[in-house]
Amino acid sequence: MPLHEILSWFASISGIIAAFMVSLDNGRRVTGWGFALFVLSSIAWIGGALLRDDEPLLSQNLVMFGINIFGVYRYLIRKKPVD
């Protein structure tokens, strides 16, 4: 199996699992790890897009990578604001 197919399958499966984790709304920790998995998914999509010279997929996942990094920061690194 070519590398771009392996990356695409990993990105797809990890993205599905990450979306499920975030949608569970089981607290900050689970949501944060969901975003961490989204980061890995975005990296895999970026790698696959570079191997296939797929600029739309590359640009989408560069933006998604940034959003997911913010999610990791928000849910795993930053302390929850006091109400």
Side-chain angles (χ1 to χ4, degrees):
M1 183 181 283
L3 180 58
H4 69 87
E5 282 188 38
I6 294 169
L7 287 172
S8 294
W9 276 109
F10 172 78
S12 180
I13 293 167
S14 62
I16 290 167
I17 294 168
F20 181 68
M21 291 172 71
V22 170
S23 72
L24 284 175
D25 194 22
N26 261 354
R28 296 180 64 78
R29 190 160 204 77
V30 172
T31 300
W33 283 108
F35 276 111
L37 190 53
F38 269 138
V39 167
L40 294 177
S41 178
S42 292
I43 291 170
W45 279 125
I46 289 167
L50 287 170
L51 290 172
R52 287 180 295 193
D53 197 29
D54 188 342
E55 291 181 20
L57 185 62
L58 175 63
S59 60
Q60 175 193 13
N61 280 283
L62 286 171
V63 172
M64 294 301 292
F65 176 78
I67 292 168
N68 295 326
I69 288 291
F70 178 70
V72 169
Y73 167 75
R74 184 169 183 229
Y75 287 95
L76 290 180
I77 298 171
R78 182 181 77 172
K79 296 199 186 290
K80 186 176 178 182
V82 178
D83 293 329

